[in-house]
Amino acid sequence: MRLEDYWGVGPKTAETLREAVGEAAAVAAIESADVRALADAGVPRGRAVRVLRRANGAAGMDLFGTGDARDVYDRLLTLASEYAVTEHASDRVRVLTPLTNPDDRESRLDDVLQARDAWAGLDESAREDVLAAFDAYDEAGGTDRAAVSCALALRDAGLTGGTFAALDDMDDAALRDAEAALEYLDADGDVAAGADETLDRLRENRDAAQSLADSAFDVIETVRERGVRDADAFQSAVVEYVASETDLTRGRVESAAPSDAVDTADFVSATLRGLADSLADEVAAREAEVREELEADVEAAGDDVDAAVLAVSDIAFELSLGRFAAEYGLTRPGHAEDGVAVEGARNLFLGDDVQPVTYAVGDHGLDVEAPSGDRVAVLTGANSGGKTTLLETLCQVVVLASMGLPVPAAAAEVGTFDTVVFHRRHASFNAGVLESTLKSIVPPLSGEGRTLMLVDEFEAITEPGRAADLLNGLVELTVDRGALGAYVTHLADDLSPLPDVARVDGIFAEGLTSDLELKVDYQPRFGTVGKSTPEFIVSRLVANASDRTERQGFERLAAAVGEEAVQRTLSDADWN
């Protein structure tokens, strides 16, 4: 393929890549998801990530029906990449895309969970050994030799089977010979210094002779300063000087001297040029011999070197995802024919102190209280009650499952969706926002395929009465199109009778803590309209008022929402 055939690679980007690394290398970088290679070539890193995602998983990227859904996807991969054990593994994680083949999803799940268990089963010392091996691999530039050294280090740490099974049958002795040989063979096949003493000495002699040849007139002046005037004596002095400067014998220098020089300048120039050329030939010949010996040691390792290079890359990738899964206690999701359900789900973008929640929409088989069969759930309840967080959590679960990754829940069942429409609440209140929002969320719902709607506080973009009408329309459209939806709203009481396959759930605030923080039960109550409980918010404002006048104002609000309820809240919070 030509560079321009890849999504996102326009003429300017293609020209940048061709000038930096050449077309073949740029294509190889795209095909191998090498973000670093593209970034080093001058492509902005963010653009490189987007190009590689589309190049390696364009069909899967169609899952994200809105910018908010893509934002969740991008933040998840950014979070996962923080647990990568190598730079290239981080790149591979960042360019993961949803998998359209169910078998591919299951296969990746198997690999990641196996790696999760492998990492969890290592003691602290073994983990340090693993990370040190991959750190050394990165520091060495990820070369073939670095991969062989890493593979040997992992084997020395006693890591076998499962995630490390590709290393099990390798020949340690052959790999160590190959490792030693690869130390002196660069990517272009040149032999590095230190591989052979004779080659190193010849290179030093060649470089010294070439340096003298580049400054022949200085050699003439140096010899003349010694008081030599006779031609024969001058030639002898030149030979002696060159021999001392190059650490060669007089005979070796004399063998390069011309017999028919016309003058002293011609003699010096021809001698030095001939000596440098002959030494260069000797270096080339000796380097070819050494290269052949080194390549023979590498070849003697057979397929083990190639296997080590591939194994280290794959192990690093799987172990990176395994570390991510272990850190967050991610589990294998089951398959729901037509729904999404979670038990004890947690939002990965929040801290550790999160109340797990159980929720479902559509058909599922989890043994939980969440109803099965409802096509639409309308979620209501307290301000700051976690309604948006619940939608985002469902989006995280679906996105991770679509990529063949475990999910943040004690148990989950996830159906296969063609489009996920996640829409956050937007504070703007004007016709432009309403139009852009409708253009964002309605087309995926109206088109073909299985759609999951996760829409937050639709009423924030238009007046409440009309918002209730529009929300009713969205719910009915969701049901008519055979889609699934969870809609967050404060307008449950204003909605027309919902279809039989829709339900209303509620999240309830329970009061204030002794620190005047809102105390919320984040677990929705199914089939119950939640309350916004403004008395809790007003109670906190009364308690936190900085002066008497300000407090009097909030007390007037307290009277409006129910002074008795406010006082009871403050009493329950043990506020003084």
Side-chain angles (χ1 to χ4, degrees), residues 488-573:
V488 166
T489 185
H490 290 286
L491 303 177
D493 292 334
D494 299 321
L495 297 178
S496 301
L498 296 173
D500 291 339
V501 290
R503 72 171 190 269
V504 177
D505 301 328
I507 292 178
F508 288 80
E510 299 179 329
L512 297 178
T513 68
S514 58
D515 295 326
L516 298 180
E517 296 295 328
L518 192 64
K519 184 165 55 176
V520 177
D521 179 8
Y522 294 102
Q523 173 57 54
R525 301 177 190 176
F526 305 108
T528 303
V529 176
K531 299 300 181 182
S532 295
T533 55
E535 65 269 19
F536 296 147
I537 304 301
V538 174
S539 300
R540 182 162 59 183
L541 293 172
V542 170
N544 288 331
S546 58
D547 59 51
R548 181 168 181 169
T549 301
E550 182 179 300
R551 183 176 302 154
Q552 287 176 342
F554 288 130
E555 286 173 345
R556 290 288 299 272
L557 289 180
V561 301
E563 185 173 1
E564 182 180 347
V566 170
Q567 292 299 327
R568 185 170 58 251
T569 298
L570 293 176
S571 176
D572 291 344

Side-chain angles (χ1 to χ4, degrees), residues 7 50-63 97-98 100:
W7 181 94
R50 292 192 296 273
V51 167
L52 295 179
R53 285 173 175 172
R54 286 286 181 178
N56 295 285
M61 293 298 291
D62 292 338
L63 176 71
T97 60
T100 56

